[in-house]
Amino acid sequence: NAGVTQTPKFQVLKTGQSMTLQCAQDMNHEYMSWYRQDPGMGLRLIHYSVGAGITDQGEVPNGYNVSRSTTEDFPLRLLSAAPSQTSVYFCASRPQGGTGYGYTFGSGTRLTVV
Amino acid sequence: QKEVEQDPGPLSVPEGAIVSLNCTYSNSAFQYFMWYRQYSRKGPELLMYTYSSGNKEDGRFTAQVDKSSKYISLFIRDSQPSDSATYLCAMTRNNDMRFGAGTRLTVKP
């Protein structure tokens, strides 16, 4: 059971380039989300999805796009990278509903935009 | 003002000490309260979650929620060097989970 898998682990982009951060989970979780983690800011929600075909914006969505065509995959797209998007990105998933709201996180993607 | 406030520390204690970590929040709509532990260069992992005010114990860890004061705490008894990590509080309303900035803890042998 792999849990939540993120690729790549590290990436350096030039300003203006685009790229897709991949996230896949094998736990059949309905809910998936993307966070960014910056020093002193904690984790901030970018986008989330409650199921295939359904996405919504979080706290800091600007500059990012998502789609959810399958239950397993939730890619995050940076349309035109900016230095302000230098961060560590985490994908997380959990079952929708239930008595617990524990998230399973991936190991993160460290992105540097130069 | 952030919705969830957490002292970033760093906090350094000797092995065997009792550790107290705290968060305050401003939005009374938060329903579930969690603590995550994050080792360096790893993703956060869930330690404990609670729904109602009161205490919840799991081994050396106790989570405490006071909804009237909008204050949550995590206590670690008999702290070990392996507890050295960043501890993040988190809380949810519907599908929105908000995190504190995290407190970096070092337990010295």
Side-chain angles (χ1 to χ4, degrees):
Chain A
N1 189 343
V4 177
T5 302
Q6 290 184 238
T7 56
K9 293 190 183 302
F10 303 93
Q11 184 70 48
V12 178
L13 285 180
K14 293 182 179 178
T15 297
Q17 286 185 320
S18 62
M19 79 160 294
T20 300
L21 280 62
Q22 302 291 343
C23 176
Q25 53 91 9
D26 61 0
M27 298 170 285
N28 204 32
H29 286 171
E30 296 91 343
Y31 181 95
M32 296 185 73
S33 56
W34 276 101
Y35 286 86
R36 60 178 289 173
Q37 187 173 35
D38 302 292
M41 300 295 290
L43 287 153
R44 291 182 291 169
L45 181 64
I46 304 172
H47 285 285
Y48 67 93
S49 168
V50 298
I54 306 169
T55 63
D56 207 345
Q57 297 181 351
E59 189 182 0
V60 288
N62 292 338
Y64 307 95
N65 272 1
V66 292
S67 60
R68 184 94 178 271
S69 57
T70 67
T71 300
E72 294 78 20
D73 300 299
F74 191 43
L76 178 72
R77 297 182 189 84
L78 280 70
L79 307 174
S80 178
S84 61
Q85 294 178 304
T86 293
S87 187
V88 182
Y89 292 85
F90 287 100
C91 179
S93 73
R94 65 164 171 81
Q96 182 72 354
T99 57
Y101 278 67
Y103 284 49
T104 300
F105 281 84
S107 57
T109 295
R110 292 181 174 272
L111 176 68
T112 301
V113 182
V114 297
Chain B
Q1 182 187 4
K2 295 180 182 177
E3 282 192 290
V4 181
E5 296 278 1
Q6 182 176 10
D7 186 341
L11 182 61
S12 181
V13 302
E15 183 175 355
I18 297 175
V19 176
S20 173
L21 305 167
N22 311 294
C23 287
T24 60
Y25 61 97
S26 58
N27 193 329
S28 59
F30 286 125
Q31 299 167 302
Y32 283 87
F33 302 88
M34 279 143 282
W35 286 93
Y36 285 81
R37 177 174 61 195
Q38 186 177 22
Y39 292 113
S40 181
R41 295 184 175 269
K42 300 290 186 183
E45 56 178 338
L46 180 67
L47 269 180
M48 299 185 70
Y49 72 88
T50 57
Y51 176 71
S52 57
S53 286
N55 294 351
K56 183 176 182 179
E57 190 172 317
D58 184 1
R60 296 185 295 110
F61 298 89
T62 299
Q64 191 174 79
V65 175
D66 183 347
K67 287 188 175 181
S68 63
S69 300
K70 297 188 180 66
Y71 188 87
I72 68 171
S73 299
L74 178 71
F75 299 96
I76 306 174
R77 292 183 299 279
D78 188 25
S79 56
Q80 302 295 309
S82 58
D83 294 328
S84 297
T86 296
Y87 290 80
L88 302 155
C89 65
M91 46 202 77
T92 64
R93 56 172 184 269
N94 299 320
N95 288 311
D96 192 354
M97 176 175 280
R98 298 298 172 108
F99 286 83
T103 300
R104 188 168 182 176
L105 171 68
T106 301
V107 181
K108 296 185 176 181

